[in-house]
Amino acid sequence: MDDVQQLGEMLRHYADSEAHKKQQLDIQSARWTHKLDELFQQIEHWLEPVKTVGLLEVGRQAYTASSPSVPVETSTFKTQKLTVQITGKTVEFVPDVMGAGGSISIAVLGLTAARHGSVSLVLAADKNDWLWKKTNGLKDPDTFGFDANFLAAQLQSLIPRDRA
C-alpha cells in the first residue's frame, strides 16, 4: 500500500470514528435531557401537595449548561433549572454539562450552610437512581439516596424555628 492509499484509509477510519463518537454523544445527550426532565417532574410531583403561595412555590426556567470547556455561547446542553422558593429562601437545581460517559450532575444551591461545602445530585451513566452528594472541604463526600422524604427533610432545614 502506498502512502496515498494509507492516507485514504486513515481518513476513512477517522471519519468512522468521529461519526461513532457523535452518535454516542447524541444518545447520551438525549438521555441527559430526558433524565433531567424526569427528575424535575418527580420533584414537582413530590412537592405538589404542600405548595402554598408565598411559602412553597416550584418553577422552571430555561437554562443552558456550560463549563470552562463548553462556553455558554456554543453549549448544546439546553435545558431548564428548577427553583423551589420556600419561606423566602431559594433552592435551585442547576444542571451541569453532561459528564464522562453520560453522567449527570446537578448543583443544588441554597441548602448548604457549610463554608466550603456543596450539594449536588448525581446520576451515573449506567444507573437510574439519583444520589444526593454533600461535599465539605477535603473529606470524602456524604452520599444518600434521593427520594421525597429525603428532599422534604432537607427543605425543612430552611424553615425558621421558633426560639421560645
Side-chain angles (χ1 to χ4, degrees):
M1 179 184 304
D2 65 23
D3 288 343
V4 173
Q5 287 174 319
Q6 185 175 351
L7 175 61
E9 282 299 310
M10 290 173 70
L11 287 172
R12 275 189 289 287
H13 178 71
Y14 177 78
D16 290 347
S17 174
E18 289 300 302
H20 178 72
K21 282 193 243 175
K22 182 179 181 340
Q23 181 184 31
Q24 289 302 108
L25 180 65
D26 290 347
I27 290 168
Q28 292 168 347
S29 294
R31 179 180 184 270
W32 181 86
T33 300
H34 173 73
K35 286 298 187 182
L36 289 172
D37 186 56
E38 187 177 77
L39 174 68
F40 291 169
Q41 283 180 24
Q42 186 68 61
I43 292 171
E44 289 166 334
H45 175 73
W46 290 340
L47 297 178
E48 185 63 35
V50 294
K51 281 174 45 178
T52 306
V53 174
L55 294 179
L56 191 140
E57 298 177 35
V58 182
R60 296 192 202 195
Q61 294 87 39
Y63 181 75
T64 301
S66 62
S67 70
S69 61
V70 182
V72 72
E73 302 82 30
T74 59
S75 176
T76 60
F77 297 103
K78 310 245 185 276
T79 186
Q80 297 177 325
K81 66 180 181 176
L82 182 78
T83 303
V84 177
Q85 297 283 338
I86 180 165
T87 64
K89 297 174 181 78
T90 301
V91 176
E92 289 185 315
F93 295 83
V94 182
D96 295 326
V97 168
M98 183 176 62
S103 66
I104 305 170
S105 63
I106 299 173
V108 182
L109 309 174
L111 273 176
T112 184
R115 186 171 173 188
H116 298 290
S118 66
V119 176
S120 59
L121 284 171
V122 179
L123 181 65
D126 58 345
K127 303 284 186 214
N128 283 314
D129 295 323
W130 289 91
L131 296 176
W132 180 273
K133 187 190 248 182
K134 185 171 186 177
T135 306
N136 192 355
L138 299 175
K139 68 178 197 147
D140 288 339
D142 297 322
T143 305
F144 307 92
F146 184 67
D147 62 17
N149 291 325
F150 187 85
L151 176 60
Q154 300 308 305
L155 294 175
Q156 287 172 22
S157 71
L158 297 176
I159 299 173
R161 305 271 193 263
D162 287 337
R163 298 177 189 227

